[in-house]
């Protein structure tokens, strides 16, 4: 059963434009959300159910029978609707992130755009409260912990000819292609762009003492080349979390 604060919130965001189709979450999942929300401590409140609405996740915290706090996580694209012009809301910066605060006599809401994890996180409460109360909840909750991209596909079968050093942990597919030139085997790898992938590449480049992703990455008879960028900085500029980055492995 939906509570009155959730209904009020839905009415508000519908008028601000969120009646349009919302984007599915790309940088976290419901399991991670439940684990994250369970460690949030709010004095006087006890956590109730968590809800998977498809395009957003919701955690409920109750105090008695009339007081409720809801924390919602959605794709970062939803923030622009919450901060739409014309709303009786206050827009400002919170810890370097875009934020919007909205309050009526019945409900209060704070939404924050976390660009580093591609998420919009909001906290709503029954009654009118100062924005600092809601800010404290989000600050202590640390929404950056929500970031969770799959560490590749655990069911992947790596060809024995690809050395362990080239087995990037966020790879989701391996496709063998026709050999070309002097190479006996060639494989195209697709990996999810994430902080984990960047860490993989940094360690690899340090191991082989190079700053290039298009040369010098040789391990025995194998060579790894990134098809989508020559440097890590280029990948960071071009890709968002969850997008696929292509690599080739050449085996002589």
């Amino acid at each position: 059963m939906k509570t009155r604060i959730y209904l009020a919130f839905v009415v508000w965001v519908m008028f601000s434009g969120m009646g349009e189709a919302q984007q599915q979450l790309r940088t976290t999942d419901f399991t991670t959300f439940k684990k994250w929300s369970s460690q949030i401590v709010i004095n006087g409140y006890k956590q109730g159910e968590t809800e998977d609405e498809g395009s957003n996740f919701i955690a409920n915290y109750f105090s008695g029978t009339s007081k409720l706090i809801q924390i919602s996580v959605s794709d970062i694209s939803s923030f622009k609707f919450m901060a739409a012009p014309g709303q009786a809301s206050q827009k400002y910066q919170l810890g370097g992130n875009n934020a919007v605060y909205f309050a009526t006599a019945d409900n209060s809401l704070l939404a924050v755009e976390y660009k580093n994890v591609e998420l919009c996180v909001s906290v709503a409460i029954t009654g009118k409260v100062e924005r600092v109360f809601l800010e404290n909840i989000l600050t202590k909750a640390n929404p950056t912990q929500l970031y969770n991209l799959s560490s590749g596909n655990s069911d992947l079968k790596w060809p024995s000819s690809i050395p362990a050093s080239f087995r990037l942990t966020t790879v989701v597919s391996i496709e063998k292609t026709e050999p070309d030139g002097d190479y006996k085997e060639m494989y195209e790898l697709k990996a999810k762009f994430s902080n984990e992938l960047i860490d993989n590449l940094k360690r690899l480049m340090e191991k082989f003492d190079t700053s290039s992703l298009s040369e010098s990455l040789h391990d025995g008879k194998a060579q790894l080349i990134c098809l989508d960028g020559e440097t890590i900085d280029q990948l960071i500029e071009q890709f968002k979390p969850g997008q696929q980055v292509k690599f080739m492995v050449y085996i002589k």
Side-chain angles (χ1 to χ4, degrees):
M1 180 178 179
K2 304 299 182 184
T3 55
R4 71 187 187 95
I5 186 173
Y6 183 62
L7 291 173
F9 171 68
V10 169
V11 171
W12 178 64
V13 295
M14 283 178 64
F15 278 109
S16 67
M18 283 188 68
E20 302 176 10
Q22 295 183 51
Q23 185 166 327
Q24 296 292 313
L25 280 79
R26 298 165 293 138
T27 61
T28 192
D29 55 69
F30 191 53
T31 299
T32 301
F33 173 77
K34 288 194 293 183
K35 182 179 180 181
W36 172 77
S37 64
S38 67
Q39 54 84 40
I40 297 175
V41 177
I42 305 174
N43 290 336
Y45 287 80
K46 183 179 180 180
Q47 184 175 8
E49 71 273 21
T50 54
E51 304 170 44
D52 182 354
E53 298 289 333
S55 58
N56 66 303
F57 305 143
I58 300 168
N60 298 286
Y61 304 83
F62 297 92
S63 179
T65 58
S66 60
K67 294 182 179 180
L68 171 69
I69 291 175
Q70 284 190 325
I71 297 178
S72 177
V73 174
S74 56
D75 184 78
I76 192 170
S77 60
S78 64
F79 180 80
K80 65 181 179 181
F81 298 112
M82 295 186 183
Q87 292 294 343
S89 57
Q90 180 182 357
K91 303 171 185 64
Y92 66 105
Q93 289 280 305
L94 176 62
N97 302 299
N98 293 322
V100 58
Y101 165 73
F102 175 84
T104 68
D106 295 320
N107 305 302
S108 304
L109 178 140
L110 171 68
V112 182
E113 180 186 47
Y114 292 92
K115 292 184 177 180
N116 58 335
V117 290
E118 294 286 313
L119 293 171
C120 174
V121 184
S122 62
V123 54
I125 186 173
T126 48
K128 187 173 185 178
V129 300
E130 296 295 325
R131 79 181 198 192
V132 66
F133 178 84
L134 303 178
E135 289 175 350
N136 287 336
I137 292 174
L138 285 190
T139 300
K140 292 179 181 179
N142 189 11
T144 59
Q145 294 179 351
L146 284 163
Y147 183 88
N148 181 36
L149 288 175
S150 172
S151 296
N153 184 344
S154 60
D155 296 327
L156 280 180
K157 294 183 179 179
W158 287 88
S160 59
S161 56
I162 298 181
S165 61
F166 290 169
R167 299 183 184 188
L168 305 172
T169 58
T170 65
V171 168
V172 294
S173 70
I174 304 171
E175 181 179 353
K176 189 174 184 178
T177 63
E178 290 296 324
D180 182 24
D182 297 329
Y183 301 105
K184 293 182 179 179
E185 299 174 61
M186 292 173 54
Y187 298 90
E188 182 182 83
L189 312 181
K190 293 180 181 178
K192 284 187 176 181
F193 183 78
S194 65
N195 290 335
E196 185 177 350
L197 176 62
I198 294 302
D199 289 341
N200 278 193
L201 295 175
K202 285 182 177 178
R203 287 194 293 269
L204 191 61
M205 295 169 79
E206 182 178 355
K207 174 181 175 68
F208 294 102
D209 191 25
T210 180
S211 60
S212 173
L213 293 172
S214 62
E215 58 184 39
S216 301
L217 292 176
H218 294 269
D219 190 338
K221 296 182 179 181
Q223 179 182 11
L224 177 71
I225 291 178
C226 179
L227 300 179
D228 292 319
E230 294 187 0
T231 66
I232 288 178
D233 287 342
Q234 287 181 354
L235 295 183
I236 293 174
E237 290 176 2
Q238 296 175 20
F239 290 88
K240 293 182 178 181
Q243 293 182 324
Q244 292 187 350
V245 183
K246 295 179 181 180
F247 297 84
M248 288 296 299
V249 177
Y250 301 92
I251 312 292
K252 288 187 176 180

